[in-house]
Amino acid sequence: MQVFKFGGASVKDAAAIKNLAEIVQHYQKDELLIVVSAMGKTTNALEKLTAAYINQTEEVHAVFTGIKFFHQQIMAELFAPTNPVFDEVENTFVEIDWLIEEEPHDDPDFIYDQIVSIGELVSSRIVTAYLNQIGVKSRWLDARGLIQTDNTYGEGRVDWELTRKNISETVLQLLQTEVLITQGFLGGTSENYTTTLGREGSDYTAAIFASCLNAPSVTIWKDVAGVFNADPKRFQNVVKFEQLSYSEAVEMAYYGASIIHPKTIQPLQNAGIPLFVKPFLAPKESGTVINNVELLIKVPVIIVKANQVLVSVSSKDHAFITENHLSAIFKTLAGFHFKVNLMQNSALSFTFCVDFEVARFKQLQQKLKQDFNFRYNLEVELLTVRHYETALLQELSAGKTILLEQLSRNTAQLVIKA
């Protein structure tokens, strides 16, 4: 049995889908489940559509038309005009047509999940149709009916007991005769509404299926040769890891390494399932394997998170920041689904760094300003270096303003303003 995950770059156009199919053909004799992301930058485009709809701007229909045209072009390169996939995709897009004709729902996260999820639904339809066209017997599976979550829209919490039951009862038998194609990032509620598992959550989906199926491994196909000590698109002289421990991978993902979704590792580690990260343009290369091994990391690991906001809150009456204050602040952060990337407190203030998302940040600001003084810095970066060296920190921060610095035995974090 194989569980594969193909990200947006690996299905970004017709040529990429043909490349995916070539990889699949090498494994079609195996029991194979494939998780696919939305095509290329479709998620970004759907997020733009979501914002336009929530704000009721005039560009809603223009953005939506562009999204549909992008997919129609790809299908035109892959299929004859009579292929049923054209109707399947059009029927999927109709879900957005219906939604945007109504007044926006009160919960923006609910709207986000119903619109943005369409990207994965469409891409998986197209991949399934193409594999069947070239003779790889394939079946489309709706992940929303298998991965059950609560009603936490934007980052659904998985009901593992029900999800495991759904997958084991449905998927195991189908795998014996067909390649199965499903969607990353998506789940469903007991009321049959769509949820998402968090941005870039397709890796997590693959881990969920692998854990529930007791698969021998998971392979994530990327546009890089494996896991590096730094982003090869940003830094020179990077080092590829042939092997990583689960714990090191968890740390890297937690601090923002984009190679793996933070929630991916835990279900794999619990089940002892190795994770392979391999290049889809060179599938015979070894890539990186993440498994239950302890290795000494001999090079610094550099992680940069852009588009951050640094926030400082203090009590309005100049009182000490106490545990009661911190409890209220964290409750508010959790209520708006913010993950704290760095935090530091002093006697009179509490400072934290989070990803900047305009709408949710405005809500956070409005809520915290009721009880606290609220100051912030936009357009900052969070630099994290594991296994750091002082000289490297100085080199990376040269010519930049350090707004906050935090050092532990093994990890350094700097909030930097360029």
Side-chain angles (χ1 to χ4, degrees), residues 58 103 133 223-224 286 332 398:
E58 294 180 357
E103 288 294 316
Q133 178 173 274
D223 58 351
V224 291
S286 60
T332 302

Side-chain angles (χ1 to χ4, degrees), residues 63-127:
V63 173
F64 189 29
T65 298
I67 293 169
K68 290 192 285 188
F69 181 69
F70 169 74
H71 289 86
Q72 288 162 356
Q73 281 187 307
I74 292 174
M75 290 190 292
E77 293 184 52
L78 296 173
F79 307 106
T82 55
N83 194 297
V85 72
F86 287 93
D87 288 335
E88 292 172 359
V89 168
E90 183 58 34
N91 290 338
T92 304
F93 280 130
V94 165
E95 294 183 32
I96 295 182
D97 278 315
W98 290 340
L99 181 64
I100 61 178
E101 294 305 321
E102 300 176 354
E103 288 294 316
H105 190 279
D106 291 339
D107 183 358
D109 290 326
F110 174 84
I111 298 170
Y112 178 96
D113 285 2
Q114 310 319 302
I115 292 179
V116 174
S117 58
I118 297 299
E120 275 72 15
L121 294 170
V122 169
S123 66
S124 57
R125 288 285 189 190
I126 294 171
V127 169

Side-chain angles (χ1 to χ4, degrees), residues 6 14 32-33 48 52 55-56 58 63 75 115 142 157 182 190 194 231 244 248 250 259 272 278 307 395:
F6 289 91
L32 183 57
L33 183 140
K48 184 177 180 181
N55 296 319
Q56 294 289 280
E58 294 180 357
V63 173
M75 290 190 292
I115 292 179
D142 192 336
R157 298 187 183 95
T182 194
S190 58
T194 303
D231 184 351
L244 278 174
E248 186 66 35
V250 166
I259 199 76
K278 300 187 69 173
N307 194 34
E395 178 185 338

Side-chain angles (χ1 to χ4, degrees), residues 246-274:
Y246 289 125
S247 57
E248 186 66 35
V250 166
E251 294 283 4
M252 292 173 64
Y254 173 80
Y255 287 116
S258 60
I259 199 76
I260 305 164
H261 187 273
K263 293 182 180 178
T264 303
I265 300 300
Q266 184 182 9
L268 300 181
Q269 184 175 13
N270 290 343
I273 299 172

Side-chain angles (χ1 to χ4, degrees), residues 5-71:
K5 179 262 178 172
F6 289 91
S10 59
V11 290
K12 66 180 181 180
D13 53 28
I17 293 171
K18 291 177 181 178
N19 182 72
L20 176 154
E22 289 180 10
I23 294 173
V24 171
Q25 285 176 312
H26 287 292
Y27 295 93
Q28 65 180 10
K29 293 182 180 179
D30 298 335
E31 295 181 347
L32 183 57
L33 183 140
I34 299 171
V35 176
V36 296
S37 298
M39 295 179 159
K41 301 297 183 182
T42 297
T43 299
N44 292 341
L46 287 166
E47 287 179 337
K48 184 177 180 181
L49 173 61
T50 303
Y53 168 60
I54 290 173
N55 296 319
Q56 294 289 280
T57 65
E58 294 180 357
E59 62 179 347
V60 169
H61 292 285
V63 173
F64 189 29
T65 298
I67 293 169
K68 290 192 285 188
F69 181 69
F70 169 74
H71 289 86

Side-chain angles (χ1 to χ4, degrees), residues 55-249:
N55 296 319
Q56 294 289 280
T57 65
E58 294 180 357
E59 62 179 347
V60 169
H61 292 285
V63 173
F64 189 29
T65 298
I67 293 169
K68 290 192 285 188
F69 181 69
F70 169 74
H71 289 86
Q72 288 162 356
Q73 281 187 307
I74 292 174
M75 290 190 292
E77 293 184 52
L78 296 173
F79 307 106
T82 55
N83 194 297
V85 72
F86 287 93
D87 288 335
E88 292 172 359
V89 168
E90 183 58 34
N91 290 338
T92 304
F93 280 130
V94 165
E95 294 183 32
I96 295 182
D97 278 315
W98 290 340
L99 181 64
I100 61 178
E101 294 305 321
E102 300 176 354
E103 288 294 316
H105 190 279
D106 291 339
D107 183 358
D109 290 326
F110 174 84
I111 298 170
Y112 178 96
D113 285 2
Q114 310 319 302
I115 292 179
V116 174
S117 58
I118 297 299
E120 275 72 15
L121 294 170
V122 169
S123 66
S124 57
R125 288 285 189 190
I126 294 171
V127 169
T128 304
Y130 185 72
L131 289 174
N132 279 312
Q133 178 173 274
I134 64 170
V136 179
K137 188 179 179 184
S138 304
R139 178 190 288 260
W140 183 86
L141 280 182
D142 192 336
R144 298 172 297 179
L146 298 170
I147 298 178
Q148 289 293 292
T149 75
D150 65 3
N151 290 27
T152 307
Y153 297 103
E155 195 159 353
R157 298 187 183 95
V158 175
D159 181 332
W160 277 94
E161 182 178 353
L162 187 53
T163 297
R164 195 175 299 277
K165 179 176 181 291
N166 291 343
I167 291 175
S168 60
E169 290 181 352
T170 303
V171 175
L172 281 171
Q173 184 176 357
L174 294 174
L175 277 172
Q176 297 174 18
T177 56
E178 297 170 293
V179 173
L180 303 181
I181 316 297
T182 194
Q183 309 79 38
F185 182 53
L186 307 188
T189 70
S190 58
E191 298 88 5
N192 292 322
Y193 288 116
T194 303
T195 54
T196 61
L197 305 179
R199 191 71 156 85
E200 309 290 350
S202 295
D203 295 351
Y204 184 36
T205 301
I208 292 169
F209 275 100
S211 175
C212 294
L213 294 169
N214 197 26
S217 68
V218 173
T219 302
I220 297 175
W221 297 94
K222 305 284 289 187
D223 58 351
V224 291
V227 180
F228 291 82
N229 72 313
D231 184 351
K233 299 173 184 176
R234 183 169 185 144
F235 295 95
Q236 296 180 338
N237 303 318
V238 296
V239 177
K240 191 191 83 165
F241 295 113
E242 297 298 325
Q243 197 171 17
L244 278 174
S245 67
Y246 289 125
S247 57
E248 186 66 35

